[in-house]
Amino acid sequence: QRVHYRNGLVGKTPTLSRIQIRCLEEVGFRWVAAMLAIWDDRFKQLIEYKNKNVNCLVPAQYDQNPALGRWVGSQCKLYKNGQMKEERVKQLQEIGFIWSAR
């Protein structure tokens, strides 16, 4: 459900209706805490990747951690579209994140 909810937030076609979201919230479903934890986990994974590879250029098809490769691509897209929180921009810049490898 969180993935479907997040799709609507990152500009993809929403797969949860407003009614479905409201029903889940009414039974105590939490969106944000889990999404923050996912971001923090991926950020830590990126730091580990950088420590091993000297850069943050995680390939989109990174076999050892496909989710990290997708996450890095998502961060670039969010930044390009002006949808990333300034705090996250700073965190990524501090570790030498490259917004576009092209």
Side-chain angles (χ1 to χ4, degrees):
Q1 297 307 307
R2 287 184 181 101
V3 170
H4 295 296
Y5 179 76
R6 186 176 64 227
N7 284 343
L9 295 178
V10 297
K12 295 181 181 177
T13 303
T15 52
L16 285 178
S17 71
R18 293 181 193 269
I19 294 170
Q20 290 170 311
I21 291 169
R22 188 171 355 113
C23 287
L24 287 164
E25 289 172 344
E26 286 174 0
V27 297
F29 196 84
R30 300 284 181 234
W31 306 104
V32 177
M35 290 170 58
L36 289 174
I38 291 169
W39 198 93
D40 289 341
D41 287 346
R42 295 287 182 263
F43 184 72
K44 289 174 188 171
Q45 291 169 7
L46 179 61
I47 291 171
E48 290 173 13
Y49 178 91
K50 182 183 178 188
N51 289 339
K52 291 179 186 174
N53 298 281
V54 191
N55 63 55
C56 296
L57 298 171
V58 182
Q61 301 297 322
Y62 182 49
D63 292 336
Q64 294 176 6
N65 187 343
L68 181 60
R70 289 189 302 271
W71 181 83
V72 166
S74 295
Q75 301 316 297
C76 292
K77 184 176 180 179
L78 288 169
Y79 179 78
K80 179 183 173 187
N81 293 335
Q83 297 175 320
M84 181 175 283
K85 294 178 182 179
E86 189 60 35
E87 175 186 322
R88 290 183 175 175
V89 171
K90 287 179 184 177
Q91 282 181 272
L92 289 166
Q93 286 175 336
E94 287 174 359
I95 65 166
F97 191 83
I98 297 173
W99 300 104
S100 176
R102 295 182 183 148

